[in-house]
Amino acid sequence: MNAAEDAPGEAESGFRAALARNLPILAVSVVVLAALILVLADRWRRGSFIFGCAALLAAVLRLFLPESRVGTLSVRSRGFDVLSLGGVGGAIVFLSLSIDPLGTD
């Protein structure tokens, strides 16, 4: 085999490696998109709850995934990322559950 025949396999494996490395941020982005759709559909309490859950999901993924698999979720040290994402996510979830609906959803 020559180098030209090996290139498609290498490109595919490079793509798979990049996809696997960025899968955590893709999963969090899908949840954030779902929250955005709910907010745009005038379901802001549910949307804010889902948005907080997305931050908590990011914190859990950052906590348990190894550095080689965490991709762009890694910003600072593991402890700082987990504490900040967990704190913000927990605060958003708490606030979204504690707001009185006043006749709205």
Side-chain angles (χ1 to χ4, degrees), residues 39-104:
V39 169
L40 292 176
D42 209 21
R43 302 289 187 212
W44 62 272
R45 290 182 67 223
R46 292 178 186 154
S48 62
F49 176 79
I50 298 297
F51 184 77
C53 289
L56 292 174
L57 173 65
V60 168
L61 289 173
R62 180 68 175 108
L63 180 63
F64 290 113
L65 288 178
E67 291 291 328
S68 61
R69 298 283 314 261
V70 78
T72 54
L73 282 178
S74 176
V75 178
R76 304 276 186 208
S77 68
R78 182 180 301 233
F80 181 82
D81 287 345
V82 170
L83 286 175
S84 61
L85 286 167
V88 169
I92 292 172
V93 166
F94 172 75
L95 288 173
S96 69
L97 293 175
S98 66
I99 294 174
D100 187 25
L102 296 174
T104 62

Side-chain angles (χ1 to χ4, degrees), residues 7-22:
E10 290 175 10
E12 184 177 320
S13 66
F15 174 74
R16 286 185 180 179
L19 181 63
R21 188 174 51 251
N22 290 312

